[in-house]
């Protein structure tokens, strides 16, 4: 059995995969604009310095993308969002299928936080729905699990945990996960201060890890 946890966001979806032997792979998908990630001689912006360091060290896999939502006019902007949502969903699905071509896969997602509001939350629902549709088509609805946010956070120790608490729980290996402690990502996190600021993509990947562990606890 292969387990996949996905923490979806508009600009920085994260994924954590555990294969049959228990080992982990961490993946970040990130909005890099219309720049070229591997263009020679170009300095990586500071916001993506952790991405590059972790990717160069092979602690994570990274896949940059460009969001094509630019129009100020409502009609055209909404059309762009539909195209954009489809593109991001396709990227995630294609990467997962490329690396994990198996009929024995379970996928976990975090449900929506109903206390959230505003235009960005509406967009999250729209984009997430595109992804859920593609996941159902690829892996079948019976292999898709959507967990309450509080359920995922409780695994880290607190049902209303914020991102700083989640990152420190990952650092401290609160689940006593020997396979996690073998990973380059976990070792990279040791000694880092996540109490005030967490560099991207750590927070998204940490959430994906605890979503995956919710799958494990749902066996």
């Amino acid at each position: 059995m292969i387990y996949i946890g996905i923490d979806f966001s508009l600009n920085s979806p994260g994924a954590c995969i555990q294969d049959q032997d228990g080992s982990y792979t961490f993946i970040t998908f990130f909005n890099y604009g219309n720049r070229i990630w591997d263009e020679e001689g170009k300095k990586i912006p500071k916001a993506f310095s952790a991405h590059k360091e972790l990717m160069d060290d092979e602690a994570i896999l990274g896949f940059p993308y460009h969001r094509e939502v630019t129009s100020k006019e409502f009609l055209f902007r909404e059309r762009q969002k539909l195209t954009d949502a489809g593109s991001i969903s396709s990227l995630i699905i294609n990467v997962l299928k490329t690396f994990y071509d198996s009929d024995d896969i379970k996928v976990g997602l975090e449900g929506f936080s109903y206390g959230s509001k505003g235009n960005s939350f509406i967009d999250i629902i729209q984009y997430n729905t595109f992804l859920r549709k593609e996941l159902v088509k690829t892996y079948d609805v019976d292999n898709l699990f959507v967990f309450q946010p509080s359920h995922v956070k409780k695994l880290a120790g607190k049902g209303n945990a914020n991102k700083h608490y989640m990152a420190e729980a990952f650092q401290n290996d609160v689940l006593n996960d020997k396979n996690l402690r073998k990973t380059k990502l976990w070792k990279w996190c040791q000694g880092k201060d996540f109490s005030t600021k967490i560099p991207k993509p750590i927070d998204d990947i940490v959430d994906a890890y605890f979503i995956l562990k919710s799958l494990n606890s749902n066996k």
Side-chain angles (χ1 to χ4, degrees), residues 77-218:
R77 187 173 181 82
E78 290 305 305
R79 286 177 178 169
Q80 288 178 334
K81 286 180 183 179
L82 293 172
T83 301
D84 195 42
S87 297
I88 295 173
S89 298
S90 294
L91 171 64
I92 293 173
I93 294 297
N94 288 336
V95 168
L96 294 177
K97 285 171 62 177
T98 298
F99 285 93
Y100 305 98
D101 185 14
S102 170
D103 295 327
D104 208 12
I105 291 178
K106 293 189 182 300
V107 182
L109 297 169
E110 189 175 67
F112 302 122
S113 174
Y114 293 106
S116 301
K117 58 185 178 180
N119 291 338
S120 62
F121 183 56
I122 294 172
D123 288 343
I124 279 285
I125 293 175
Q126 175 176 304
Y127 280 63
N128 204 303
T129 300
F130 269 70
L131 177 61
R132 292 184 186 192
K133 179 182 177 182
E134 291 302 313
L135 288 170
V136 168
K137 186 191 302 183
T138 305
Y139 300 115
D140 191 75
V141 69
D142 291 336
N143 293 316
L144 183 63
F145 298 78
V146 181
F147 299 101
Q148 289 181 316
S150 60
H151 174 85
V152 175
K153 291 173 174 31
K154 282 178 183 177
L155 287 180
K158 194 163 64 171
N160 62 348
N162 61 25
K163 63 181 181 179
H164 303 285
Y165 187 101
M166 298 290 286
E168 290 177 8
F170 182 87
Q171 272 183 309
N172 296 331
D173 183 27
V174 295
L175 298 180
N176 191 27
D177 186 345
K178 65 179 182 180
N179 290 314
L180 176 65
R181 295 193 297 272
K182 294 177 184 177
T183 66
K184 290 183 178 180
L185 178 63
W186 185 82
K187 293 173 182 176
W188 182 89
C189 288
Q190 299 312 295
K192 302 285 194 304
D193 181 8
F194 293 146
S195 61
T196 57
K197 186 176 181 180
I198 308 170
K200 288 288 184 183
I202 298 302
D203 54 340
D204 309 291
I205 291 177
V206 163
D207 285 349
Y209 168 78
F210 282 105
I211 292 169
L212 180 144
K213 299 312 287 186
S214 296
L215 269 177
N216 290 161
S217 66
N218 197 62

Side-chain angles (χ1 to χ4, degrees), residues 15-44:
C16 176
I17 300 92
Q18 187 173 37
D19 62 23
Q20 292 94 334
D21 67 4
S23 62
Y24 292 108
T25 300
F26 302 102
I27 302 177
T28 178
F29 305 88
F30 55 100
N31 178 23
Y32 195 61
N34 58 4
R35 293 161 290 193
I36 299 174
W37 173 258
D38 57 355
E39 189 174 0
E40 289 188 20
K42 294 292 185 181
K43 185 178 179 181
I44 297 294

